[in-house]
Amino acid sequence: MDRVAGERAADAAGILAGYGLDAWLGDPRRFHPVAGFGTLAQRLERGLYRDDRRAGAAYTLVAVGAPAALGVAAALATRGRPAARFLVTAAATWTVLGGRTLRAEGRLMARHLRRGDVPAARRRLNHLCGRDPARLDEAELARATVESVAENTSDAVVAPLWWGAVAGVPGLLAYRAANTLDAMVGHRSPRYARFGTPAARLDDLLNLAPARLTALLTVAAAPRVRGRRAEALRVWRRDRNDHPSPNAGQCESAMAGALGVRLGGRNVYFGRSETRPYLGDGPRPDFRHVGRAARLSGTVGLAAAALAAVAAYARPRR
């Protein structure tokens, strides 16, 4: 096996190993690198913040460019050393994935809702999304959870694997940095309306392909949760572009079709509200659909890991 083939094999094996570590161990409980990045990004924001897009672009360039450069350095340092490349890729993949945590949060919400413990479900919702849970009833809590599981299956699992397959360790680290920035400054608020726009647009761009892959894998895996592929495909094709996000609607409409539920409606955040078109047909989701969404997310993630490993091994010579 020549050097390039050895490196591609190490990348593929590292992606699978990293996925396995996430599935087995979940997120590191202490000293999580993503949390450390968030702390550094907050400090950088304090130094660069101005209420304009140029400042936001500079902030995004530095905050995403630094992890990408670290990934490039790691890739160069492991050239011709497949064992080291495997270890670095596995560690980076494990660091950027959040599949086990996502599924665990979904299952926990399903348990709270099954027991009718609305206060506990409200307290837990912010582990999944940024909506204000104070006035949400069981049906709205279930809907928020299903929508968050659908979107985060792409953000926290499929998209990192996609960029790991396309660009190796630099892709893994750059994607996670961009997605973290979007969560920090990419939302609509008076402070970030202009400053956060470059981060939000970069995240949208990086998720264009992964979100659509997530939707297709969700459609394919619909029988895993007693859904029908034909119905999931029909709903996805009809409703995927009705969401204000160019990517979230892909994942949420496919999930709605696979589960046979209706998503969308009025979302209340802290200080603002949005009314979104309905996605899918059928009843509003309940605790049973929350549990199925978590199970479907796991199946989609496993399929994405297998595809990413194949794509990494087949990556053209550079």
Side-chain angles (χ1 to χ4, degrees):
M1 182 181 293
D2 64 23
R3 178 185 64 80
V4 174
E7 290 175 357
R8 291 185 303 187
D11 282 344
I15 285 172
L16 290 177
Y19 177 85
L21 286 170
D22 176 68
W24 179 34
L25 300 173
D27 292 334
R29 297 195 176 190
R30 299 180 62 188
F31 309 115
H32 197 304
V34 175
F37 169 80
T39 299
L40 293 175
Q42 286 179 329
R43 294 176 182 172
L44 180 64
E45 179 193 338
R46 288 197 291 269
L48 295 180
Y49 179 82
R50 293 195 310 277
D51 188 20
D52 65 64
R53 292 190 180 187
R54 286 180 297 179
Y59 169 69
T60 302
L61 178 63
V62 174
V64 176
L70 179 63
V72 170
L76 291 175
T78 56
R79 291 188 68 180
R81 302 167 59 197
R85 174 68 67 92
F86 164 76
L87 291 174
V88 169
T89 303
T93 303
W94 177 32
T95 296
V96 303
L97 292 182
R100 179 185 174 95
T101 298
L102 176 63
R103 295 189 298 274
E105 291 294 337
R107 289 192 294 265
L108 182 58
M109 287 292 290
R111 287 197 296 271
H112 289 325
L113 294 172
R114 184 177 65 247
R115 297 167 183 163
D117 193 347
V118 172
R122 286 173 175 165
R123 289 193 297 270
R124 200 70 195 178
L125 183 64
N126 287 338
H127 287 78
L128 283 167
C129 63
R131 299 182 200 179
D132 184 353
R135 298 183 181 179
L136 299 185
D137 59 14
E138 289 186 38
E140 286 300 295
L141 287 164
R143 177 173 73 87
T145 303
V146 170
E147 290 173 354
S148 296
V149 168
E151 182 178 2
N152 284 305
T153 298
S154 179
D155 289 357
V157 185
V158 178
L161 291 169
W162 170 280
W163 286 108
V166 169
V169 173
L172 289 165
L173 299 186
Y175 172 77
R176 177 50 62 209
N179 188 249
T180 302
L181 282 194
D182 179 60
M184 294 174 62
V185 306
H187 50 85
R188 297 174 183 172
S189 69
R191 177 175 174 84
Y192 297 127
R194 285 177 285 272
F195 181 81
T197 296
R201 295 294 176 266
L202 177 61
D203 184 71
D204 286 344
L205 178 65
L206 295 178
N207 278 291
L208 284 175
R212 284 147 185 82
L213 176 60
T214 301
L216 290 172
L217 292 175
T218 300
V219 169
R224 177 80 171 84
V225 291
R226 301 196 293 276
R228 294 188 297 116
R229 291 191 181 100
E231 176 65 9
L233 181 62
R234 181 187 70 82
V235 171
W236 172 61
R237 293 180 66 182
R238 185 192 69 189
D239 297 344
R240 57 185 172 173
N241 295 320
D242 290 344
H243 197 285
S245 164
N247 299 316
Q250 305 287 329
C251 309
E252 292 180 18
S253 61
M255 181 69 79
L259 297 178
V261 298
R262 188 180 70 176
L263 302 177
R266 183 168 179 262
N267 294 344
V268 178
Y269 300 91
F270 294 91
R272 61 187 177 89
S273 66
E274 296 179 3
T275 300
R276 297 176 177 176
Y278 291 122
L279 307 175
D281 306 308
R284 303 298 264 171
D286 59 25
F287 70 87
R288 294 168 296 182
H289 301 108
V290 172
R292 291 173 192 165
R295 189 159 64 249
L296 185 54
S297 176
T299 302
V300 169
L302 182 61
L307 290 174
V310 171
Y313 187 72
R315 195 162 57 218
R317 290 173 178 264
R318 292 192 296 270

